[in-house]
Each structure stands twice: as C-alpha cells, then as structure tokens.
Amino acid sequence: MKIGVLGAGQLGRMLAIAAYPLGHQMAFTANSEDEPSVLLGKAFISDGTQDSTEQLTSASEVITFESENTDVEIVKKISKKTPVYPGAKSLFTTQHRGREKAIFDNLGIPCAPYQMVNSLADLQTAVDAIGLPAILKTATEGYDGKGQFVIRSDDQLEKAWLSMHGVEAILEGFVNFKRELSLIAVRGIDNSHKYYPLVENTHHNGILRLTTAPAENISVKVQEQAEHYMQTLLDEMEHVGVLTIELFETSDGLVVNEMAPRVHNSGHWSIEGARTSQFENHVRAITGSPLGETACLQQYCAMINIIGEHGPVDKVLELGNAHLHLYGKSERKGRKLGHITITANTLSELNKALNALDAFMP
Ligand code: AMP
C-alpha cells in the first residue's frame, strides 16, 4: 500500500524501514530536507507554496502520524478522503493530560489524583485537595519532562504557576514508585490485539536513557493487569495501530502515568529483540494485515538512547551482540540522535555489553 506519515522524524524513518520488506511505499510531510525520514520515501516539504498535507493525502492509501501533537482537525478533514490510523478519537484523547486522566478514571484504571489548573487560585485549591509533593504539568505538548514543576512546599506555588506561562495545566499527586515501566500493544482493524512484555525504563533529566526488555521480576498477574488496562483503552478509543502506556510500579500495584498513540522510544528494542518489531506491527495494523508475534527473541534485551552527541559509536560495532541505529540528525544538547540495542542470553552477557557501552550513559 501507499502509506503516508504526517511527520518525518526518526519514528517515520523506522516505520519505513519496517514497511519496505512488506512491499509498501512511503511518503512523509516534512519541514525540511534534513529530517530523518526524508531519504526513505517521497517527502512533501512545507515550503509555504503548496499544502503538504493535501499532497500527502492525495498520494496515500492510508495515513498515520508520528506525534500526538498532530492537529485533530486536520486528521478529521483528511480522513474523509483517506483513512487515518490511529483515528481522531485516540489522538484527541492522548494529546491532553486531563482527557487521558478522565478516560483512565472512567475505565477504572488507577492513576495519580489530579485537578485541572487555570490560575494561581486553582493551583491553591488543587494543592489543598491533593497535598504535597505534587507535579504541575502543562495539559498539552509536554514531552521528555518539559513543562513540569515538582512542588514540594507551599511557597513554590507562584513560581510553579508562572513556569506554566499561562497555559492550562494539571496538578498530579506525586506517585512513590519503585520503577517506571511501559507496555506497548497493537490493535488491528479487525480488533485483534498483541501485547509486548512490560519493559523497564530509566530516565535522566526527563529523557529516556535505558530500556530493559522484558522488565525483570514481573509476575504473570502484573503483566495481565497491564494488558487488561491496555485492552480497555484500545477498545474504548477504537484504536488501530500501536498504543503505548507508561506506568509506575508501586507497592500497591500499577499506576498509569500517560499514554502515546504511536510507536514509542521504549519499544525500539523490539527491532532486534522481538519476533515482530513495534514498527512492523504498526504497519501491519494500519494496512489491515495480520499482526505479528511479540515474544522476545532472547532472554535479555536493552536499548540505550544516544543523546546530544554521537559518542564512540565504533564501540557498538565492535560488540557481537549490539546493534547501532543512527537517525541522521545533527548533534544538539538533549536531542535523540540514535539508539543501541543489546541482545543477550544471560544477565552477565547483557551486563558485559552495558559496561562496554557505559560512555553512552549519563
Ligand atoms: P511525563 O511527561 O508525565 O512522562 O513525566 C516525566 C517523568 O516525571 C516521568 O517519567 C516520571 O519520572 C516523573 N513523573 C511524572 N508524573 C509523576 C507523578 N505523578 N509522580 C511521580 N513522578 C512523576
């Protein structure tokens, strides 16, 4: 099929790499020639003279997007002509933290206590109800920990509110978690579902640095609980494609933090680590093909993000069980430039490779 992607970053690039062996063609909307997906398909570059979204719609049989910040009205408009997966319902829900929390509440999925905040007075009311510590986050467009303020004492309220720059915000109670996990799943057009194993994520300065797959010591019950939450969300939003939920593991069980209606950085390990990668499964889902198996190929897998600078990438190539993925981006502080996957049959083999690559860790 002719697959169109709104956006041309590394997610689109990895979708294309997965789509070509299945015989598909790819097209993207891009802001410039330099974006990671541009060389991997037809690129409609926004140059102010032509409507690149319109061009993509005419050139595609099915459309998907790379970011939850995609304009819902545009998606509604183009889906009259060309199917867009995931649909507007998933996009509308997941681009606003308040709407996400409301759907978690409605479906009985545990999440942090929260209140929407539109003024300093609202913030005071929310803090009185939720208590401290708490986290104030922008309701939309936050990523990699941006647009967040951890409030520990009452005298920080004004500073926290000012840091939101007047936009709608949400106050969340602070969750005392043991570790952060994520679950990636895919739903087909025919309502079939596949789930990857829960993985463990380590962040630094709000940016994902390391994913280990599967997460260690996850009982069957916990995996099933996470899959149950996921299934109710997939079905409620009539989601087609990959959906990711980020969770906190606490002593009282799983608490859902947020979700993303797309392939996710914490699923990059699946390219070499699973029978079918998240990218291939997303492509299969949106093209109406049977979904692929999600089981791990080896006992242990880890994914290290390459952030800000490329570093000693030859070290990766020297290892027998590591794979390098560079996205073709220039170096900039905090920027995701690539990732490394390590696969191993034993924990010591995994740790040996992680130690050899410690230059990539913060
Ligand atoms: P988010 O953008 O919501 O994923 O938040 C970024 C990071 O902040 C998460 O990965 C957590 O480490 C932390 N965080 C977010 N929300 C909470 C919360 N309610 N309680 C404790 N930590 C949180």
Side-chain angles (χ1 to χ4, degrees):
M1 287 181 79
K2 292 180 176 156
I3 301 174
V5 183
L6 294 167
Q10 64 263 22
L11 300 181
R13 179 179 171 111
M14 288 184 274
L15 282 172
I17 292 168
Y20 285 121
L22 302 180
H24 301 298
Q25 293 173 33
M26 300 297 293
F28 305 90
T29 55
N31 292 318
S32 82
E33 298 274 359
D34 299 333
E35 289 191 83
S37 302
V38 166
L39 288 176
L40 292 192
K42 201 168 176 54
F44 297 106
I45 314 240
S46 315
D47 61 2
T49 58
Q50 301 237 43
D51 183 342
S52 57
T53 307
E54 186 63 46
Q55 290 174 302
L56 184 84
T57 309
S58 302
S60 307
E61 292 165 294
V62 61
I63 288 182
T64 189
F65 48 82
E66 273 198 324
S67 162
E68 54 274 31
N69 296 325
T70 305
D71 188 329
V72 181
E73 291 312 314
I74 289 181
V75 164
K76 282 185 183 162
K77 188 176 151 205
I78 59 182
S79 56
K80 288 186 183 137
K81 201 164 159 186
T82 306
V84 182
Y85 298 124
K89 197 170 176 182
S90 295
L91 187 58
F92 182 69
T93 308
T94 56
Q95 63 187 206
H96 187 277
R97 291 184 190 273
R99 290 198 284 269
E100 276 188 351
K101 291 279 194 293
I103 196 172
F104 297 155
D105 277 349
N106 289 341
L107 297 173
I109 297 172
C111 62
Y114 68 96
Q115 272 194 25
M116 301 313 294
V117 169
N118 282 293
S119 64
L120 183 57
D122 282 357
L123 180 56
Q124 183 65 63
T125 311
V127 167
D128 291 345
I130 291 169
L132 294 178
I135 304 193
L136 189 65
K137 303 178 179 178
T138 55
T140 59
E141 301 207 356
Y143 68 97
D144 289 344
K146 291 191 174 64
Q148 301 194 3
F149 194 107
V150 180
I151 308 176
R152 300 186 188 277
S153 60
D154 279 310
D155 59 4
Q156 291 180 297
L157 263 54
E158 189 169 357
K159 195 171 170 203
W161 173 244
L162 287 176
S163 76
M164 298 290 112
H165 301 290
V167 302
E168 188 183 22
I170 184 170
L171 186 77
E172 293 181 15
F174 201 87
V175 177
N176 269 321
F177 57 84
K178 291 194 273 189
R179 54 183 175 162
E180 294 188 69
L181 306 172
S182 59
L183 182 72
I184 293 181
V186 58
R187 181 173 180 270
I189 292 172
D190 61 355
N191 193 23
S192 50
H193 300 74
K194 294 276 183 195
Y195 305 88
Y196 288 88
L198 279 163
V199 298
E200 179 174 343
N201 300 317
T202 308
H203 299 87
H204 180 76
N205 289 339
I207 303 178
L208 180 68
R209 299 306 297 240
L210 175 71
T211 295
T212 46
E216 270 192 273
N217 299 323
I218 296 288
S219 65
V220 173
K221 206 171 137 219
V222 168
Q223 177 75 27
E224 283 176 357
Q225 184 72 75
E227 289 183 12
H228 170 69
Y229 296 152
M230 176 63 96
Q231 187 186 343
T232 57
L233 289 164
L234 286 168
D235 292 346
E236 175 68 20
M237 297 192 293
E238 296 164 50
H239 190 89
V240 171
V242 165
L243 180 71
T244 305
I245 53 178
E246 294 182 33
L247 309 107
F248 300 126
E249 185 182 39
T250 76
S251 44
D252 298 326
L254 296 174
V255 172
V256 175
N257 176 27
E258 60 175 355
M259 52 183 173
R262 54 171 170 78
V263 287
H264 194 258
N265 195 172
S266 68
H268 291 0
W269 65 274
S270 64
I271 297 176
E272 288 92 8
R275 282 187 191 267
T276 315
S277 77
Q278 62 164 349
F279 300 100
E280 180 172 337
N281 259 332
H282 187 73
V283 169
R284 289 186 186 213
I286 65 171
T287 55
S289 309
L291 302 180
E293 288 301 319
T294 49
C296 294
L297 287 173
Q298 276 182 298
Q299 208 72 15
Y300 298 94
C301 190
M303 189 280 316
I304 301 171
N305 266 339
I306 300 175
I307 307 287
E309 52 188 57
H310 288 102
V313 290
D314 278 354
K315 280 197 170 182
V316 184
L317 304 179
E318 282 161 14
L319 291 177
N321 60 342
H323 299 264
L324 179 64
H325 297 257
L326 296 179
Y327 309 147
K329 290 159 82 170
S330 56
E331 295 184 344
R332 194 201 302 152
K333 191 168 180 280
R335 199 174 201 200
K336 289 178 179 169
L337 304 177
H339 73 267
I340 302 160
T341 313
I342 303 165
T343 56
N345 282 318
T346 63
L347 198 53
S348 71
E349 202 191 324
L350 179 80
N351 286 333
K352 204 171 151 202
L354 283 172
N355 286 338
L357 299 175
D358 65 353
F360 292 95
M361 297 300 289

